Amino acid sequence: QIFKQLLMVSGFDRYFQIARCFRDEDLRADRQPEFTQIDVEMSFVDEDDVMEITENMLKHIFRVILNKDIKIPFPRLAYDEAISKYGLDKPDTRFELNLIDVTEIARHSNFEVFTKATKQNGIVKCINAKNCASFSRTVIEELTSFVAIYGSKGLAWMKVTEKGLESSIVKFFDEKIQKELLKATNAKKDDLLFFVADANHKVVNDALGYLRIEIAKKLDLIDNNHFNFVW
C-alpha cells in the first residue's frame, strides 16, 4: 500500500502491479484461496477506458501464451439480462440452455410448491434440457441433490412424450396450462423440463444457473478450446 501511495502522490496517474493474493474469506467451489492477479490502477478514466485496456491486454496474453486470437471488443451484457437468461452474473455463453421464467403460467396451476412461491412474490423458472427425457431417475435425483447446494428445496421435472407432458406432478396442471408450458419452453418430444420455485429469487437463479452448467457438462456441450468473454 505504501508503494502504491508513493506512486500516486509522485504523479503517476496509472500503473499496474502483479500481486500475489491470499483470499481471507469463505471458500467456494469456483474460488481459489491463493492466486496471482494483475491489479490495474488508473486515474482520470471512465468505464470504456478500463474495458479497452483490459480487452487489449487479454487479446495480447491469449495470442502470446495460447496462440489464440480472441475478438474484441467483448460483448456487453446488462446485469438484469444476465440473471434473467443465465441465472448468474458470470454466465457461460458458449451454449444455450437458457432460463425461462414461467411464473405467470405456474401461478394458475394447482401445484402447491409453485403457487406458494408465487403468492410470496417469488418466481418459478425452467430449463428445457433438449433430448434429455432419457435421463434416469438416478440422474434426476443427483441433479436434485446438486441444486440443494444452492438453497433449492427441490427440483420439479416433466418429460415430453408423444402424448404430452409426463411426470408425477402433471396432474396438478390442466391441459391449457400444459400447452402454455410447452409453448413457453419451446419443448418438443424427448425434451426434459426442470423447474425451481422459491420466494427468494436468488435461490431460483443460482440453482438453475449452476444446473445449466452441470447439464451442459453431462451433455458435453462446452467446447473448452473456445472462449466467450463478456462484460
Side-chain angles (χ1 to χ4, degrees):
Q1 288 297 323
I2 293 172
F3 289 141
K4 291 166 69 174
Q5 289 161 8
L6 282 171
L7 274 172
M8 299 306 276
V9 299
S10 62
F12 284 86
D13 65 338
R14 59 188 64 185
Y15 66 91
F16 71 90
Q17 63 174 345
I18 297 175
R20 190 71 171 165
C21 303
F22 185 80
R23 203 187 283 270
D24 183 20
E25 54 189 68
D26 293 341
L27 294 176
R28 294 183 190 169
D30 59 352
R31 177 179 284 173
Q32 294 170 273
E34 190 175 357
F35 60 98
T36 301
Q37 73 179 26
I38 298 176
D39 182 9
V40 182
E41 302 281 351
M42 300 168 68
S43 302
F44 314 114
V45 295
D46 58 26
E47 287 181 0
D48 290 328
D49 293 318
V50 177
M51 289 177 171
E52 185 181 353
I53 288 283
T54 304
E55 288 170 349
N56 279 289
M57 178 185 68
L58 285 169
K59 184 177 177 69
H60 175 73
I61 290 171
F62 269 70
R63 186 187 295 121
V64 171
I65 305 299
L66 297 177
N67 196 29
K68 287 184 178 292
D69 193 37
I70 59 175
K71 292 182 179 179
I72 57 174
F74 301 155
R76 299 185 185 186
L77 194 61
Y79 176 83
D80 287 345
E81 185 182 354
I83 298 299
S84 174
K85 290 174 66 174
Y86 305 105
L88 308 173
D89 61 0
K90 48 182 177 185
D92 191 331
T93 59
R94 292 174 294 181
F95 60 94
E96 291 295 325
L97 281 179
N98 294 347
L99 278 57
I100 304 155
D101 192 324
V102 293
T103 306
E104 290 309 310
I105 299 172
R107 188 188 304 280
H108 302 291
S109 72
N110 293 313
F111 188 44
E112 188 179 358
V113 173
F114 288 180
T115 56
K116 183 180 178 182
T118 59
K119 285 175 182 175
Q120 296 174 336
N121 294 318
I123 54 173
V124 184
K125 281 191 169 183
C126 171
I127 287 177
N128 179 3
K130 289 288 183 184
N131 300 308
C132 290
S134 58
F135 275 12
S136 66
R137 281 295 182 99
T138 302
V139 171
I140 293 174
E141 285 172 6
E142 287 172 356
L143 294 176
T144 303
S145 298
F146 177 81
V147 296
I149 297 170
Y150 303 99
S152 176
K153 300 180 185 71
L155 182 65
W157 57 270
M158 298 179 186
K159 293 183 177 182
V160 186
T161 68
E162 288 181 348
K163 298 179 181 178
L165 292 170
E166 183 180 289
S167 168
S168 60
I169 66 170
V170 167
K171 59 188 177 185
F172 298 109
F173 300 80
D174 64 33
E175 188 176 342
K176 178 176 178 289
I177 294 176
Q178 289 185 40
K179 286 180 178 177
E180 288 176 356
L181 283 174
L182 288 169
K183 183 179 179 181
T185 57
N186 193 29
K188 303 289 190 292
K189 181 178 173 292
D190 295 329
D191 290 348
L192 177 56
L193 304 180
F194 287 111
F195 302 85
V196 173
D198 203 281
N200 186 330
H201 293 210
K202 189 175 188 305
V203 167
V204 175
N205 287 316
D206 280 357
L208 287 178
Y210 286 106
L211 179 66
R212 71 180 287 273
I213 296 172
E214 185 69 9
I215 292 172
K217 289 176 182 176
K218 284 184 178 294
L219 301 178
D220 199 24
L221 298 179
I222 304 173
D223 179 0
N224 289 316
N225 292 312
H226 181 65
F227 298 90
N228 267 22
F229 286 93
V230 61
W231 289 108

